[in-house]
Every structure is written in C-alpha cells, then in structure tokens.
Amino acid sequence: MAPFNFTHSDASTFILMGIPGLEAAHIWISIPFFTFYIISLLGNVTLLCVVGKEQTLQKPMYLLLCMLALTDIATPTFVVPKALGIFWFNLKGITVAGCLTQMFFLHTISVMHSSTLVTMAFDRYVAICNPLRYATILSNAQIAKLGLVGFIRAVLFILPLPLLLSQQTFCANRIYPHTQCEYIAMVKMVCGDIRVSRIYGFVLMFVINGFDLTFIALSYGLIIRAVLRISSHKAHQKALNTCTAHICVLLTYYTPTFFSILTHYFGQGIAPYVHIILADLLLLIPPMLNPIIYGVKMKELRDKVVKYTCRSSADTKFTQSSADTRDDISSGLQCPSGNCQIVREYVNQH
C-alpha cells in the first residue's frame, strides 16, 4: 500500500519517524500493534462489563482490577492510533503542544498504573495478614479514596515535566525518531540548558519507582512472614495462590520498564529501533496480558466471564430460534376465512 504523505515541517511541528531503519517493514509491524491493541481493548472492556453487571464482584479486589483495566485501556489508546497513522498513512506530523500533551498523559497513566499495583499489594497484605479486619480497612469507599490519591499524586508529579520542556527551545531539526512523544527522547531534542529537566526526570523516576517497589516489597515480606507462621501446607498454598496473579502482573510491568530504562541510559551500542520497539511493547504487552492473567488465575472472575459469555450466546440462539418458530407457525396457520390476519398478528406479538 502506497503511503500518503501528510507530513508538515513548520516550526511548531515535530516529525515522528516511526521506527527508523525499519520503514520498509512498517506495514508488517502495524499488524501486531493493531492485534495487541484490539485484544487489550476486548479483554479490559470485558472485565469492566462483568464486574459492573455482577453484584458479587463489586468488592475491593475487583474494583482495583477495574482501576487497572482503565489504565490498561488508556495507555495504548494514547499511542497506537498515532503509530498506526504513521505506519499506514505516513501521518508523521504532530504539534509541540500535542507532543507535550501525549507525553503528560502517558506518564500520568503510568504513575497511576504503578499506584494501583501498590494498592493491590496492600490489598493482598490485609487479606492474608489481617483477614478479620479486611472489610473495615478496605471498603469500596476506601478504594475510591486511594484511587483518587493515586491520580492526584500522578498529576502533581508529572505536570512539571511538560511545563519545564515547554519553556525550552527545540533544535531546528525537529525529526523525532519514535512512534510516540517519550520524555527521555524529547529532552534530547532541546537545544538549551536541560540540567533542571534531566535532574527532575531522573529524581522522579527513582522516587516513584523506589517508593512503589519498596512498599510492594514490604507488603510481600510481611505476607511471606505471615504465611510461614501457618502450619498447614494447604493453607500455605491457598494464601500464596491469592498473590500469584498480582505477582505475574508486577513482573509483566516492572521487568520491561526497567529493561527499557537501562537500555536508554547504558545501551549506547544498541540500535535505535530496539529502544523504540521496547518502549512500544512496554505500552502494549502488559495491558494485553493483565486481563488474561487475572481471568486464568481467579476462578470467580473466570466463572462469571464464562457465565455472561454463554448467556449472551444462548440468548442469541434462543432469539433466532423463536423468530424461526414464529415464522413457521405464522406461515402454516389454518384459520377461518377472514381471521388469518388477526391470528398472524397475535402470533407475531407473542
């Protein structure tokens, strides 16, 4: 498919190049991008719908899953449509304001995602170490408050990043070798003094990740200590099984995050397209895997998903069967002369 050239080169516009070095493969690269995005949307929207419809699932643990699902929907949505525009139609232009806005929302959602994982670790700690007070400590209202605190924290920490960059002068060459407006790559395009922006970004990364990981590690340390005090092997197994899904989600999020950061700072010999692909996969893979992980590991959620899926399928078949039966009855009616139309209308209404 021949690309359309809708790029712009005025002073207020960046040119997102997609994945430099792999331009010839953009169409093929777009296939997994689009596939991962659709699977992510289907999985997370299904989770939200099932929890919203099923009263028995409207409790803290599943409300946290809904918060995680919302961040998993938002994260790729801020990236994939623009990336597909580059891959399919060569729509490479993006304004400086648009780039800063995308960067702000991407990093805000990322911090919010991390806050949700911390809250989920605390949820598991209370459920295992203090189960009798679980309903008191973590009510639905408390989860809503913690979610609001996490959102406010994300906005307050991330807002200075675009504000600092908006005061800088960008170089004349505004070709941006990426599919998204990433902070680390954007800082490299500034021609002025970037010490404040670099220091703030570096400190922010360690403060947020350091605090969140420390809290998660502390929660699991207390969980392990509580589990080891239990004498029953079956109770050991049951307690640890409640944490398996959360641990898998932690690994799918933090492992590629730190690997991507390390390649940026210490991987000068790595080809640029590797950095770009890693950054994109970081925003695509965890949102796709998270609903699958929780669907597999949590029997109650899995049963409800199957229940609603089967009910939807059964309702569709029943509706079609009823329509066919009604047509057969209507077409084969034997009725007294002059009354056929009345009887057919009655059958159609019932």
Side-chain angles (χ1 to χ4, degrees), residues 174 181 325:
R174 299 195 173 202
C181 295
T325 303

Side-chain angles (χ1 to χ4, degrees), residues 33-47 69 71-77 80 283-292:
F33 267 62
F34 182 73
T35 303
F36 293 164
Y37 181 52
I38 294 301
I39 294 172
S40 173
L41 286 182
L42 289 175
N44 287 291
V45 169
T46 299
L47 191 152
T71 63
D72 285 341
I73 290 172
T75 299
T77 299
V80 174
L283 301 178
L284 288 169
I285 299 299
M288 180 184 67
L289 292 180
N290 288 346
I292 297 173

Side-chain angles (χ1 to χ4, degrees), residues 14 27 56 62 88 104 119-120 165 186-187 246 277 295 347-348:
F14 288 134
I27 293 297
T56 59
Y62 292 102
W88 291 347
F104 168 74
T119 309
M120 293 173 81
L165 286 177
M186 201 168 180
V187 166
H246 184 242
I277 291 174
V347 171
N348 286 334

Side-chain angles (χ1 to χ4, degrees), residues 308-324:
Y308 280 103
T309 303
C310 293
R311 178 188 294 179
S312 176
S313 176
D315 288 345
T316 302
K317 290 179 180 178
F318 177 76
T319 302
Q320 182 62 42
S321 177
S322 299
D324 293 343

Side-chain angles (χ1 to χ4, degrees), residues 113 117 213 216 220 243-259 282 285-286 289-290 293-294:
H113 187 102
L117 293 178
L213 285 175
I216 290 170
Y220 274 99
C243 302
T244 305
H246 184 242
I247 292 172
C248 291
V249 170
L250 288 173
L251 292 175
T252 61
Y253 177 72
Y254 283 110
T255 302
T257 297
F258 279 104
F259 192 69
L282 173 62
I285 299 299
L289 292 180
N290 288 346
I293 291 171
Y294 278 103

Side-chain angles (χ1 to χ4, degrees), residues 1 13 27 70 72 112 170 188 230 259-260 268-269 276 322:
M1 182 172 66
T13 303
I27 293 297
L70 289 172
D72 285 341
M112 184 65 191
F170 293 96
K188 295 177 181 178
I230 301 173
F259 192 69
S260 179
Q268 287 77 13
I276 298 169
S322 299

Side-chain angles (χ1 to χ4, degrees), residues 297-315:
K297 293 293 184 180
M298 300 177 70
K299 185 179 183 300
E300 186 179 9
L301 177 62
R302 183 173 66 250
D303 290 345
K304 298 302 181 184
V305 171
V306 171
K307 169 189 168 183
Y308 280 103
T309 303
C310 293
R311 178 188 294 179
S312 176
S313 176
D315 288 345

Side-chain angles (χ1 to χ4, degrees), residues 58-249:
Q58 293 178 10
K59 46 192 177 184
M61 180 172 61
Y62 292 102
L63 294 182
L64 286 170
L65 284 185
C66 288
M67 290 168 56
L68 193 68
L70 289 172
T71 63
D72 285 341
I73 290 172
T75 299
T77 299
F78 284 119
V79 175
V80 174
K82 180 60 181 176
L84 294 178
I86 297 170
F87 295 153
W88 291 347
F89 307 112
N90 206 31
L91 295 170
K92 298 181 178 180
I94 184 170
T95 63
V96 174
C99 210
L100 290 172
T101 301
Q102 186 192 54
M103 183 195 73
F104 168 74
F105 281 110
L106 278 176
H107 289 292
T108 298
I109 294 299
S110 177
V111 175
M112 184 65 191
H113 187 102
S114 185
S115 298
T116 305
L117 293 178
V118 171
T119 309
M120 293 173 81
F122 180 63
D123 170 80
R124 293 299 83 204
Y125 159 73
V126 176
I128 293 173
C129 299
N130 208 342
L132 297 179
R133 296 185 58 202
Y134 180 85
T136 305
I137 298 173
L138 282 177
S139 62
N140 289 352
Q142 288 295 101
I143 292 297
K145 290 177 183 178
L146 289 173
L148 181 61
V149 169
F151 176 73
I152 293 172
R153 182 189 81 145
V155 171
L156 292 179
F157 278 150
I158 298 301
L159 187 59
L161 293 179
L163 292 179
L164 287 171
L165 286 177
S166 66
Q167 305 302 315
Q168 299 291 339
T169 302
F170 293 96
C171 299
N173 182 10
R174 299 195 173 202
I175 296 176
Y176 198 108
H178 217 303
T179 58
Q180 56 175 287
C181 295
E182 191 181 49
Y183 175 74
I184 297 175
M186 201 168 180
V187 166
K188 295 177 181 178
M189 299 183 66
V190 175
C191 289
D193 187 357
I194 59 172
R195 282 178 298 178
V196 175
S197 297
R198 275 188 176 276
I199 291 171
Y200 183 78
F202 198 72
V203 171
L204 189 64
M205 178 184 67
F206 278 98
V207 167
I208 293 176
N209 290 328
F211 172 82
D212 290 357
L213 285 175
T214 299
F215 196 93
I216 290 170
L218 178 62
S219 297
Y220 274 99
L222 294 173
I223 288 171
I224 291 171
R225 188 181 69 173
V227 169
L228 291 177
R229 290 178 176 176
I230 301 173
S231 57
S232 170
H233 177 73
K234 186 176 180 180
H236 277 185
Q237 192 70 23
K238 184 176 179 181
L240 292 176
N241 281 342
T242 64
C243 302
T244 305
H246 184 242
I247 292 172
C248 291
V249 170

